[in-house]
């Protein structure tokens, strides 16, 4: 887990799950993480659940906001200033900065002004 040590408030939300056994989670400076969020860097192999499907880092840009009950899956990157709506599942990289994403799977809803 890689983060700015001055942003320790990221870990004050209860119920968050940081699964980084086989890959890293990078959290950009100024990012806020709401309660009950999940950051998953590896999944099971769908053909053999006893095996891992491999791992991939998660990168969260600066000044992002991860809404309550959201999930970020392996290999996802968020550009700076991305807001993830509550309850969203982010399955793919969001390379556009300063926007709101939401849904399952998450998609860009609108730009921030």
């Amino acid at each position: 887990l890689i983060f700015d040590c001055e942003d320790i408030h990221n870990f004050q939300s209860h119920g968050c799950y940081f699964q980084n056994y086989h890959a890293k989670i990078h959290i950009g400076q100024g990012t806020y993480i709401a309660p009950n969020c999940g950051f998953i860097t590896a999944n099971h192999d769908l053909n053999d659940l006893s095996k891992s499907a491999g791992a991939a880092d998660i990168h969260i840009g600066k000044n992002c906001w991860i809404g309550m009950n959201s999930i970020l899956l392996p290999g996802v990157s968020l550009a700076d200033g991305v807001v993830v709506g509550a309850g969203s599942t982010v399955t793919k990289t969001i390379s556009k900065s300063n926007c709101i994403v939401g849904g399952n799977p998450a998609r860009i809803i609108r730009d921030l002004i």
Side-chain angles (χ1 to χ4, degrees), residues 1-2 11 15-27 33 36-45 49-60 70-76:
L1 196 58
I2 301 168
F11 307 104
C16 289
Y17 177 67
F18 298 91
Q19 185 248 35
N20 61 330
Y21 302 118
H22 302 291
K24 294 179 180 169
I25 300 169
H26 304 263
I27 302 172
I33 300 171
N36 301 322
C37 291
F39 302 84
I40 314 298
T41 60
N43 276 318
H44 294 277
D45 182 320
L49 297 179
S50 67
K51 295 180 182 177
S52 174
D57 291 353
I58 293 173
H59 294 268
I60 302 169
S70 295
I71 301 168
L72 278 69
L73 294 181
V76 164

